[in-house]
Amino acid sequence: MSYNFNEIEAKWQNYWAENQTFRASNSSDKPKYYVLDMFPYPSGAGLHVGHPLGYIASDIYARYKRHKGFNVLHPQGYDSFGLPAEQYAIQTGQHPALTTAKNIKRYREQLDKIGFSFDWSREVRTSDPEYYKWTQWIFIQLFESWYDMEAEKSRAISELEEIFVSEGNSRVNAACDDDVEEFSADSWNNFSSEEKQRILLKYRLTYLAETEVNWCPQLGTVLANDEIVNGVSERGGYPVVRKKMTQWSMRISAFSERLLQGLDQLDWTESLKESQRNWIGKSVGAMVHFNLYGETLKKVKDDGSLAEHQKKISVFTTRPDTIFGVSFMTLAPEHDLVKKITTPQQKEEVEAYIAASAKRSERERMADVKSITGVFTGAYAEHPFTGESIPIWIGDYVLAGYGTGAVMAVPCGDQRDYDFARHFDIPIKNIFENADISEAAFSGKEGAVIANSDFLSGLEYKEALQKVILELEKTGHGYGKTNYRLRDAVFSRQRYWGEPFPVYYVKGMPQMIDAQHLPLHLPEVEKYLPTETGEPPLGNATDWAWDTKSNEVVGNEKIDDETVFPLELNTMPGWAGSSWYLFRYMDAGNTEEFVSKEAQNYWENVDLYIGGSEHATGHLLYSRFWTKFLRDRGYLSVEEPFKKLINQGMILGQSAFVYRLEGENVFVSKNLIGENNVQPIHADVSLVNHSDELDVEGFKEWRPEFKDAKFLTEKEGAYIVGREVEKMSKSKYNVVNPDDICEDYGADTLRMYEMFLGPLEQAKPWNTAGITGVHNFLKKLWKLYHNGEQFEVSGEKASADSLKSLHKTIKKVTGDIEEFSFNTSVSTFMICVNELSAQKCSSREVLEPLVILLAPYAPHIAEELWSKLGNSESVVTAEYPVFEEKYLVESTKNYPVSFNGKMRFTMELPLDMPKDEIEKTVMADERTQKQLDGRTPKKVIVVPGKIVNIVG
């Protein structure tokens, strides 16, 4: 009977769907295990063979855990809000919901064909109102919360109001905006309602603030740093500029220390943890205040544009011990003070510099360590100890969003400051004893002795650090501080296709829609672009106002600012829905809560999370932040979302190139290029065979602009393409469709081949030519259970060799699965089947457990063979085979028999045979007598279990 993989796979995929084989229960006596893949975005291109890699790995592990007696939750859904569907809507006018539904249908068909054991009864989509209802609800909880730094936890905003009523804010240690001013209980009680709301907004965990953002005019939205590559948008490659906008932000910075400490408890790779540590960026030092000086101070006093607390520049530094070496200060070009302190003489130059730096992304500015640029503002600050004037410059190596957006420059102790000072001829003071700074800055700490620094002179680093902080605190010029690089996350996007904020505005102040009236549905709009006046796309909606009496959305014409108010026009970012989705899977049908306490207490959190390394910072930090917040407020029982995390590597494409002669419509074969100047052009890999020969006519049809091109071929008439390993991408025409592989070789072949390509965490190139080896293995496996057209498995006792082959495989494959070394498991299966075939094994004792062992990797063929073995239930229910060491214990030894040190033949003897018996048996063998040819040996050396050597 031939191996008809198409028929077998369709049969069992239908069986799993009809019987809901992989449906998990929220109550079971079995131990639980939660396996999750990172949320896929359903793109219009569908899956290519690189996408399923992590899914196959997680599926193998999920199936393995079921065999080991676990109640496994392995759900799947879609991160279905996103820019691509919106961009398509802008181009075509088709509603993003229609595009998304079509893409999801395509994704589901492809995923089903590969045979994943997903519990589809729990499917979620972030764009489903029944899902984003709870995203909106979580947003409201964040709005109604503040962070108590003393208790290190989030608390209800109502508790903060109670404190303000009884004692003001002088003793409140909270995460809040920098410009919060102290007030008494009496003051609070006399504030207007609007003033109270304005103050509370400075404490809330989600708040409105004017912030520097990455603005992409072509996409019409704000982008996160990780959505920008080389200064342009990752999607579309459009220019990005920095600009100030009023945005919703999340106070994730309040959780910095907890996010940092929590990493120690996680089973993640050290490199991944280090990525998060670097992103959080903890540093210990001091906050130092520099007052504005002389004419600069007079200027801002005269125009009255600054409050008292704004008449100084605050700087965070890890080296306050070097304060007497400050030669100048540098502000970020976008710093609030810049325009207010710049002198008329410097105004034109400063404004030109600000405009130029706005065109560079933060990442670009941080990465550019070679360029030295800056402009003097004409303003000065006052040194906190000496009273000397310090020139204030602007430079784009300083970022407004990091720290305070200002640095105190100590050229003698920092190379970047040193290069800046040298470039602009700014004097460099040396405050280090016996340090040569004629060629470079001295940046060492240990052993460094401070000099020319008044009360710090003669002190080493640690002592100087402590002393200067005491003096700063004593004089009111600063204080000791721990700082973090992690900044509050901008939470607004100027786009249509995202979660609407459950927010309306009364006198400019945000108000939350009551949770009982959620979800707030996305409105219909005619255009998906920003409005002509620059408002986000929701500004095109004609019905986008909130009636506080009827608690419903009404027409904009009814806005009266008494009972009907305008709704928020921004939508939430892509990471909103993906920050908590793991908990929704636990209780996906719950209409009363985002997850019940019972379901969450049972599943707790994710035991195994698999996904790409591109989410090493953004998504993982946001999800960890929301989990910690929801635990603080009593909605979750866990502090972390993901216990174990594995980043799968990338499957790379084998791109094909044709070579066009410069300036001509002539293509030359790879081996004929020689000295010619050529332009490499991507060719669709489907037009190239395994010998790298191009289907020239197919290429001409595919690219009509080259239909009349001339092709210079090799002697035998073939046009040979060039090959290059690149990221698999539609734009590089190197995408391999998994549907084609499933059709030609089967899903089980695809699953095993993707694992066989190499270690899960490493990048590896795809090569379709190599897939036949895995396919042939499955055909050989099938043949092992058949005698010609007949299925033939006997009840006879298995041979010792067959049992040895089986248990050797059980041991190796089990160890490989536990270590996620799936590539070596596939090799082990191949060796096992080869050995059993050579042994002509047909014993159920061996072949039945082999099916179970193989089932996580090749589930379709395993189900078919399991059924043929007479089992009525799915192989999924079968208990995992137990390794027994006794079958690997050798009972015999193949002794090498040597004569004067040269091995002449071998003899298989029992391992427990006594030494004298071994000698007798070897000496009696006719091959020994033939070698001795009548001689009597001088001695016979026998090492039991190793060798026999006859001397003389």
Side-chain angles (χ1 to χ4, degrees):
M1 183 181 287
S2 62
Y3 170 42
N4 189 336
F5 53 86
N6 294 124
E7 189 179 300
I8 291 169
E9 290 176 359
K11 169 185 172 182
W12 289 104
Q13 285 162 15
N14 288 335
Y15 174 90
W16 296 328
E18 287 169 10
N19 292 277
Q20 296 193 42
T21 305
F22 310 114
R23 185 165 187 155
S25 168
N26 278 8
S27 57
S28 172
D29 295 333
K30 297 177 179 180
K32 72 94 185 181
Y33 200 86
Y34 186 178
V35 181
L36 186 61
D37 303 289
M38 285 190 184
F39 231 4
Y41 173 75
S43 72
L47 296 171
H48 61 60
V49 292
H51 291 126
L53 179 69
Y55 302 160
I56 295 168
S58 65
D59 197 60
I60 288 170
Y61 205 79
R63 288 174 177 273
Y64 164 72
K65 281 292 188 181
R66 289 190 189 97
H67 287 306
K68 295 288 279 186
F70 285 81
N71 179 28
V72 175
L73 174 57
H74 188 207
Q76 187 58 283
Y78 305 97
D79 193 6
S80 50
F81 274 133
L83 267 175
E86 181 153 347
Q87 287 302 108
Y88 189 73
I90 290 168
Q91 293 161 12
T92 64
Q94 179 167 294
H95 196 288
L98 299 176
T99 309
T100 301
K102 181 182 174 186
N103 294 349
I104 286 175
K105 184 174 183 290
R106 171 84 178 113
Y107 254 62
R108 176 64 188 271
E109 288 169 355
Q110 290 187 290
L111 291 170
D112 285 346
K113 276 187 180 177
I114 303 172
F116 294 118
S117 62
F118 294 134
D119 179 355
W120 285 110
S121 70
R122 297 172 186 253
E123 178 191 322
V124 300
R125 304 178 184 188
T126 55
S127 58
D128 179 353
E130 288 308 307
Y131 180 87
Y132 69 66
K133 163 185 177 177
W134 297 108
T135 309
Q136 292 171 340
W137 180 86
I138 293 170
F139 175 84
I140 293 171
Q141 307 317 304
L142 284 154
F143 184 81
E144 298 295 349
S145 301
W146 64 290
Y147 197 83
D148 185 337
M149 300 299 284
E150 292 288 337
E152 293 187 340
K153 67 176 292 188
S154 316
R155 295 173 61 184
I157 204 79
S158 57
E159 295 176 20
L160 184 63
E161 290 183 83
E162 288 172 10
I163 295 171
F164 290 169
V165 167
S166 61
E167 57 186 75
N169 71 344
S170 59
R171 295 200 297 166
V172 172
N173 184 5
C176 57
D177 293 359
D178 293 334
D179 60 352
V180 170
E181 295 184 0
E182 194 174 305
F183 54 81
S184 66
D186 286 342
S187 297
W188 172 262
N189 294 326
N190 287 317
F191 286 150
S192 67
S193 172
E194 287 79 8
E195 187 58 31
K196 287 179 179 178
Q197 288 183 58
R198 198 167 286 111
I199 291 169
L200 288 173
L201 202 54
K202 296 175 184 292
Y203 287 89
R204 296 183 188 275
L205 285 181
T206 185
Y207 60 95
L208 279 173
E210 189 176 58
T211 53
E212 278 282 330
V213 296
N214 303 308
W215 174 251
C216 180
Q218 279 87 345
L219 292 177
T221 191
V222 168
L223 299 177
N225 283 333
D226 54 8
E227 294 174 312
I228 302 165
V229 178
N230 300 323
V232 297
S233 62
E234 184 179 32
R235 178 155 299 279
Y238 301 118
V240 176
V241 297
R242 300 285 294 169
K243 68 180 284 190
K244 285 192 172 179
M245 295 180 72
T246 299
Q247 303 281 295
W248 282 102
S249 289
M250 290 277 172
R251 215 177 291 278
I252 187 175
S253 59
F255 293 75
S256 296
E257 188 62 26
R258 281 171 68 184
L259 289 167
L260 200 59
Q261 297 302 324
L263 291 169
D264 295 337
Q265 314 305 318
L266 300 176
D267 185 7
W268 295 8
T269 62
E270 197 52 41
S271 62
L272 185 54
K273 288 182 182 181
E274 199 56 31
S275 292
Q276 294 231 331
R277 290 189 190 108
N278 290 337
W279 197 266
I280 296 165
K282 182 178 181 178
S283 49
V284 179
M287 188 67 79
V288 183
H289 305 310
F290 291 79
N291 292 324
L292 296 178
Y293 180 86
E295 289 299 314
T296 306
L297 181 59
K298 184 175 183 299
K299 178 180 183 294
V300 298
K301 276 184 176 177
D302 290 347
D303 68 18
S305 61
L306 295 180
E308 201 58 41
H309 73 274
Q310 293 175 301
K311 293 172 185 174
K312 62 187 177 188
I313 299 172
S314 296
V315 172
F316 174 78
T317 175
T318 57
R319 294 296 305 271
D321 57 305
T322 66
I323 194 164
F324 286 94
V326 176
S327 298
F328 61 99
M329 300 189 74
T330 311
L331 304 184
E334 55 274 12
H335 194 289
D336 288 338
L337 270 178
V338 173
K339 290 182 180 178
K340 292 183 172 70
I341 64 173
T342 299
T343 61
Q345 296 89 334
Q346 295 298 112
K347 184 180 179 186
E348 188 177 339
E349 198 176 350
V350 166
E351 287 180 349
Y353 188 83
I354 291 171
S357 66
K359 295 174 183 175
R360 304 180 76 202
S361 72
E362 285 194 357
R363 282 192 177 177
E364 194 178 352
R365 285 162 61 177
M366 289 167 70
D368 185 5
V369 293
K370 293 180 180 178
S371 304
I372 301 172
T373 65
V375 175
F376 178 44
T377 64
Y380 294 86
E382 182 180 72
H383 193 285
F385 293 121
T386 68
E388 294 172 352
S389 63
I390 301 169
I392 303 171
W393 288 67
I394 60 171
D396 70 1
Y397 70 93
V398 183
L399 305 175
Y402 178 54
T404 63
V407 299
M408 60 175 224
V410 183
C412 67
D414 181 274
Q415 192 59 44
R416 192 154 200 172
D417 293 344
Y418 184 93
D419 295 338
F420 192 97
R422 277 290 186 89
H423 186 79
F424 291 108
D425 288 329
I426 300 170
I428 299 176
K429 303 174 184 176
N430 189 356
I431 53 141
F432 297 110
E433 203 171 275
N434 301 321
D436 178 12
I437 61 164
S438 59
E439 298 297 327
F442 176 77
S443 57
K445 289 181 182 177
E446 299 308 317
V449 177
I450 304 296
N452 305 318
S453 298
D454 196 359
F455 60 88
L456 297 178
S457 294
L459 301 180
E460 290 193 359
Y461 162 68
K462 287 183 180 176
E463 194 178 350
L465 184 70
Q466 292 172 354
K467 189 162 186 177
V468 74
I469 290 173
L470 282 174
E471 285 298 319
L472 287 167
E473 291 175 346
K474 192 192 300 181
T475 61
H477 284 113
Y479 51 90
K481 188 178 190 318
T482 298
N483 207 36
Y484 299 90
R485 184 183 293 117
L486 182 64
R487 284 164 281 173
D488 288 346
V490 175
F491 198 68
S492 297
R493 293 292 185 272
Q494 293 65 44
R495 67 184 191 207
Y496 173 76
W497 192 232
E499 297 91 342
F501 284 93
V503 175
Y504 62 94
Y505 288 89
V506 177
K507 295 182 181 178
M509 295 305 297
Q511 313 295 322
M512 297 296 117
I513 292 172
D514 194 283
Q516 65 180 312
H517 305 303
L518 300 179
L520 175 66
H521 290 258
L522 266 175
E524 294 296 322
V525 294
E526 280 189 24
K527 295 179 182 176
Y528 301 102
L529 284 166
T531 67
E532 291 177 4
T533 54
E535 292 174 324
L538 291 189
N540 292 310
T542 54
D543 296 332
W544 198 235
W546 187 253
D547 187 326
T548 55
K549 279 194 171 180
S550 61
N551 290 305
E552 63 181 350
V553 175
V554 296
N556 297 351
E557 74 282 357
K558 294 183 179 178
I559 294 173
D560 57 11
D561 291 323
E562 291 182 6
T563 60
V564 180
F565 302 94
L567 284 157
E568 170 68 63
L569 299 181
N570 289 309
T571 53
M572 297 185 196
W575 57 267
S578 60
S579 292
W580 69 279
Y581 75 114
L582 68 146
F583 299 110
R584 190 58 180 169
Y585 282 136
M586 297 176 182
D587 202 9
N590 193 330
T591 57
E592 302 302 315
E593 302 170 275
F594 77 98
V595 61
S596 69
K597 276 190 165 52
E598 294 75 18
Q600 196 273 304
N601 287 336
Y602 177 72
W603 293 110
E604 294 180 336
N605 51 9
V606 175
D607 295 286
L608 173 64
Y609 197 38
I610 296 183
S613 59
E614 66 272 18
H615 300 295
T617 49
H619 159 62
L620 293 175
L621 276 172
Y622 299 142
S623 190
R624 294 181 64 215
F625 157 43
W626 278 29
T627 301
K628 290 175 190 297
F629 162 72
L630 289 167
R631 183 179 191 270
D632 286 352
R633 294 304 314 275
Y635 300 115
L636 295 176
S637 64
V638 292
E639 179 84 3
E640 292 286 347
F642 314 111
K643 289 179 187 173
K644 184 176 181 65
L645 173 60
I646 294 176
N647 289 140
Q648 86 269 13
M650 192 181 287
I651 289 184
L652 303 170
Q654 286 265 16
S655 296
F657 290 90
V658 292
Y659 302 95
R660 187 184 186 187
L661 292 177
E662 288 283 1
E664 298 182 48
N665 200 16
V666 177
F667 290 85
V668 59
S669 186
K670 178 190 171 186
N671 300 323
L672 303 177
I673 294 173
E675 299 297 317
N676 292 306
N677 289 325
V678 295
Q679 175 195 5
I681 295 174
H682 279 96
D684 193 315
V685 292
S686 65
L687 299 171
V688 181
N689 66 18
H690 295 324
S691 301
D692 293 340
E693 295 171 350
L694 178 72
D695 174 359
V696 173
E697 292 307 313
F699 179 81
K700 288 179 177 180
E701 190 177 327
W702 174 60
R703 298 287 296 268
E705 68 268 39
F706 300 133
K707 66 179 180 181
D708 298 323
K710 184 179 178 183
F711 283 77
L712 302 180
T713 60
E714 310 287 329
K715 286 181 181 177
E716 59 277 9
Y719 184 97
I720 304 298
V721 299
R723 288 286 195 177
E724 194 174 313
V725 174
E726 299 182 289
K727 181 179 177 179
M728 197 171 280
S729 164
K730 193 168 66 168
S731 65
K732 300 182 190 301
Y733 306 108
N734 61 1
V735 166
V736 178
N737 191 328
D739 297 4
D740 297 336
I741 302 298
C742 290
E743 182 64 32
D744 296 342
Y745 300 98
D748 286 341
T749 297
L750 173 68
R751 290 170 65 103
M752 295 198 79
Y753 182 59
E754 292 221 0
M755 294 298 97
F756 188 55
L757 283 172
L760 179 61
E761 297 90 343
Q762 292 180 12
K764 44 256 175 189
W766 176 271
N767 183 1
T768 303
I771 206 166
T772 53
V774 173
H775 188 59
N776 289 337
F777 154 72
L778 288 174
K779 289 199 283 190
K780 193 166 189 176
L781 172 77
W782 182 260
K783 193 176 176 184
L784 187 62
Y785 290 77
H786 293 82
N787 184 2
E789 291 298 307
Q790 293 299 312
F791 179 80
E792 191 173 286
V793 173
S794 73
E796 294 175 8
K797 177 74 178 164
S799 69
D801 282 346
S802 293
L803 287 167
K804 180 181 175 183
S805 293
L806 172 67
H807 284 271
K808 188 171 61 176
T809 304
I810 294 172
K811 182 180 182 181
K812 181 72 170 72
V813 168
T814 306
D816 285 345
I817 291 178
E818 293 287 358
E819 294 296 321
F820 301 93
S821 299
F822 303 118
N823 56 316
T824 50
S825 283
V826 179
S827 303
T828 301
F829 281 127
M830 290 175 173
I831 292 167
C832 178
V833 169
N834 283 339
E835 288 178 356
L836 294 177
S837 298
Q839 295 156 12
K840 299 194 180 335
C841 176
S842 62
S843 170
R844 177 183 289 268
E845 188 181 3
V846 168
L847 297 186
E848 190 164 75
L850 179 61
V851 169
I852 303 168
L853 204 58
L854 188 73
Y857 291 81
H860 305 88
I861 194 172
E863 287 278 23
E864 185 67 13
L865 293 173
W866 184 250
S867 174
K868 284 174 171 284
L869 283 162
N871 298 289
S872 57
E873 290 192 330
S874 166
V875 70
V876 171
T877 62
E879 196 173 321
Y880 197 77
V882 178
F883 166 68
E884 294 186 57
E885 184 72 42
K886 66 182 181 182
Y887 293 114
L888 300 193
V889 176
E890 302 285 354
S891 58
T892 62
K893 165 68 181 174
N894 204 26
Y895 281 91
V897 180
S898 301
F899 292 83
N900 297 320
K902 290 185 179 180
M903 200 273 282
R904 297 301 181 186
F905 60 87
T906 61
M907 283 187 74
E908 189 160 347
L909 301 171
L911 263 174
D912 57 356
M913 181 179 274
K915 189 175 178 179
D916 57 341
E917 286 295 318
I918 293 172
E919 182 177 337
K920 284 181 189 174
T921 305
V922 170
M923 290 304 295
D925 192 279
E926 60 181 24
R927 290 170 294 179
T928 303
Q929 297 305 316
K930 186 177 178 183
Q931 287 291 330
L932 289 173
D933 196 23
R935 299 189 313 279
T936 302
K938 293 178 182 177
K939 61 179 174 178
V940 178
I941 301 167
V942 176
V943 181
K946 292 193 175 179
I947 61 160
V948 176
N949 187 24
I950 299 169
V951 182

